[in-house]
Amino acid sequence: MTERNWAGTHTFAAEAVLTPTTIAEAQRMVASHERIRTLGTRHSFNDLADTPGTLLDLTAIAPDIEVDDTARTVTVGAGTRYAVVARNLADHGWALHNMGSLPHISVGGATATSTHGSGDRNGSLATAVRALEFIGPGGELRTVSAGDADFAGSVVHLGALGPVVRLTLAIEPTYQVRQDTYAGLTWDDLFERFDEVTAAGYSVSVFTRWNTRDVGEVWVKERLDDTSAPDMPERVLSARRVTAKADSPAADGVDNTTEQGGVPGDWCERLPHFRIDATPSNGDEIQTEYWVDRAVAVDAIAAVRSIADRVEPALLVTELRTVAADELWLSPGFGRDSVCIHFTWKNEPDAVRTAISHVERVLAPFDPRPHWGKVFSMPIGGSLPHLDDFRELVARVDPTGKFSGPYLERVLGIPAR
């Protein structure tokens, strides 16, 4: 078997990939294999999903989207891409609170790794989860819902608690969003008035290449109360609004981004950066991301800026985003409002390893937490206070280590017992 992740940067070591088309079929597959882990849309950049055993690809199971108007929830197959469930919700008058930059990712994989969008008051995508349906080691179905004792430890689970086949997410009435881009933000404004920059819209992203005279582009996504487009300021501090459409910040000249220029549209067509019908981001790349406490974010950003010459040779672009705190045990946002410093690197592994070592060195004083699905080398250590509780939960749910893998053993110390 030769199976690679989306970017082609990781080749899976598993001996086979199984693709069930029903939940019952997936249950039988789990029960009949000694080592098995879930494979989604392959958007992780490391060996998180890998196993020496068998991979279970859930993307062929029907979405089976069920909306509960009274409870304001939607239940959907875990292998379903966000674009599918989001479009269905928008067409029926509903919405999610946020989306990640890519609509191509699966709901199950994104929430399991605490993938996120941006916004000072917006939690990660995992904070919308209200229930998860797992397959246990013997093939049995097990549901964990909000309010259950194990819920906070089960939402961001990294596949360690078994395959999730269905999830229930909180929804809200649909809304419109406009997206505007700004250029020319000075470093002084970013450092001295950071809160004003990130408060410029419902979701704000700042793109930079560090070794530049000004910061770079600021993408502002503003939530609208109706279909009319309110006037947006011509400036966000020193950054001036531009009318020309910005292409992918990681690959100039590639038209794959969602509509900008202040044109109102459904939330699901503006909150992501990239269109579902185009290749997301650069494709041929490696990614890294570190979450730092918002209280020290400006100093952390300045620390990375101080090594711009060591980062620049391997870099395509950096994106800065904000995420609200949550109480999910393995979420990098646990207990603290966060700023995420994301690096999209060239597909040059040696140069990237060197750059990462410099970034992790200067960020170390700020207690960074890595995105689970990106490339990093730092130890997790005591950064997450419930890590031991999670290990105990895994030992109780999966006592034989059927769902463990090299990543979980190496990074979290969860053995295949």
Side-chain angles (χ1 to χ4, degrees), residues 359-396:
V359 171
E360 292 186 351
R361 174 178 55 80
V362 298
L363 286 182
F366 305 103
D367 188 23
R369 298 171 180 171
H371 185 300
W372 299 111
K374 314 294 185 183
V375 176
F376 61 93
S377 61
M378 57 174 282
I380 299 303
S383 178
L384 291 168
H386 284 286
L387 186 53
D388 286 341
D389 296 326
F390 183 74
R391 292 188 183 111
E392 292 175 5
L393 174 60
V394 172
R396 174 160 45 88

Side-chain angles (χ1 to χ4, degrees), residues 13 69 119 144 246 261:
D69 293 336
V144 180

Side-chain angles (χ1 to χ4, degrees), residues 392-409:
E392 292 175 5
L393 174 60
V394 172
R396 174 160 45 88
V397 170
D398 181 27
T400 66
K402 172 177 283 197
F403 304 127
S404 187
Y407 176 103
L408 295 181
E409 294 182 76

Side-chain angles (χ1 to χ4, degrees), residues 99-104 116-118 179 203-207 219-221 245-249 255-260 268-276 280-281 319-321:
M99 291 184 71
S101 61
L102 307 182
H104 312 70
H116 59 94
S118 192
Q179 182 174 203
S203 170
V204 175
S205 291
V206 178
F207 293 96
W219 292 15
V220 179
K221 303 169 191 279
K245 187 174 187 289
D247 295 328
S248 169
D255 182 11
N256 56 9
T257 53
T258 49
E259 188 160 2
Q260 302 160 11
C268 58
E269 296 177 349
R270 298 294 184 273
L271 290 176
H273 292 337
F274 300 100
R275 305 194 319 266
I276 187 62
S281 192
E319 180 178 8
L320 307 175
R321 288 182 284 179

Side-chain angles (χ1 to χ4, degrees), residues 13 44 88 91 116 118 123 157 176 193 217 261 370 393 399 407-409 412 417:
S44 290
N88 181 281
D91 289 345
H116 59 94
S118 192
H157 55 84
Q176 297 263 297
R193 304 172 73 177
E217 296 175 353
L393 174 60
Y407 176 103
L408 295 181
E409 294 182 76
L412 296 183
R417 285 167 285 274

Side-chain angles (χ1 to χ4, degrees), residues 275-335:
R275 305 194 319 266
I276 187 62
D277 62 341
T279 300
S281 192
N282 181 269
D284 186 22
E285 66 195 43
I286 298 171
Q287 292 185 10
T288 295
E289 183 177 79
Y290 304 94
W291 300 42
V292 296
D293 191 324
R294 181 168 186 134
V296 298
V298 169
D299 289 339
I301 294 167
V304 178
R305 167 83 165 147
S306 73
I307 57 164
D309 59 329
R310 300 182 183 184
V311 168
E312 192 275 335
L315 186 69
L316 289 171
V317 72
T318 285
E319 180 178 8
L320 307 175
R321 288 182 284 179
T322 58
V323 182
D326 61 59
E327 298 301 320
L328 306 176
W329 288 358
L330 285 196
S331 167
F334 178 88

